Amino acid sequence: MSGEPTDATLPAMPALDPRLNPFRPDLADLRLKGSVEAARFVAGAPRRVVANAAPLKRVPRSDASLDSEILRGEVFTVFEETGEGWSWGQLETDSYVGYVPTDALAAVSPEPTHRLAALRTFIYPGPDMKMPALTSLSFGSHVALGRETTTRTTLYR
């Protein structure tokens, strides 16, 4: 006996958490090859959330419980798109894995220029806050701002 550890004496590797590591029996992130078992491994495609917010769910169903919420501008790496309008992938910000509505995602460009620091920011159809707001964005959303203009001494982008 040489004193070298055997497989029986080596400590077991901790199992990867599927909530934070993109793998399933049928599909896994290419970066996990050799660490998990899966039928196939793929490189993910980065997408940016273009909806005001998007639900992240453990299963691809609208009535499934909400695991997390993804804000506008965050990057979500897609490993699979289902035929039912869901994308399975991983959120870049906190590494959560799950399903997001595919229509809430788009190309990663343009790169956001700002992150919202107000609790809520209103989006108007034009440079005038007397117009009815189209929607609002939450604190932490990432946005790409366009040109500046002034209406009645108020600066808009």
Side-chain angles (χ1 to χ4, degrees), residues 21-43:
N21 296 280
F23 70 93
R24 310 181 310 214
D26 65 322
L27 179 64
D29 182 347
L30 185 61
R31 298 172 297 176
L32 295 177
K33 195 168 193 170
S35 298
V36 299
E37 290 187 29
R40 66 188 173 104
F41 293 85
V42 299

Side-chain angles (χ1 to χ4, degrees), residues 124 126-130 147-151 154-157:
Y124 297 96
D128 189 346
M129 67 181 166
K130 289 188 177 191
R147 64 180 175 81
E148 292 182 356
T149 188
T150 301
T151 302
T154 301
L155 178 66
Y156 293 89
R157 281 191 167 177

Side-chain angles (χ1 to χ4, degrees), residues 48-142:
R48 192 168 305 282
V49 175
V50 292
N52 292 349
L56 179 82
K57 300 187 176 229
R58 198 163 302 166
V59 294
R61 291 192 336 253
S62 58
D63 63 344
S65 64
L66 182 68
D67 278 358
S68 189
E69 186 174 59
I70 303 174
L71 298 177
R72 183 183 198 99
E74 291 189 280
V75 175
F76 184 78
T77 301
V78 175
F79 297 100
E80 176 187 59
E81 290 183 16
T82 72
E84 294 81 35
W86 293 90
S87 291
W88 181 73
Q90 183 175 35
L91 183 59
E92 186 177 279
T93 310
D94 58 14
S95 300
Y96 277 25
V97 173
Y99 291 88
V100 172
T102 301
D103 61 1
L105 305 171
V108 291
S109 59
E111 187 75 23
T113 57
H114 293 76
R115 183 173 182 199
L116 300 183
L119 290 178
R120 186 172 48 178
T121 298
F122 293 100
I123 305 299
Y124 297 96
D128 189 346
M129 67 181 166
K130 289 188 177 191
M131 300 174 99
L134 297 173
T135 189
S136 63
L137 297 176
S138 297
F139 172 83
S141 295
H142 299 258

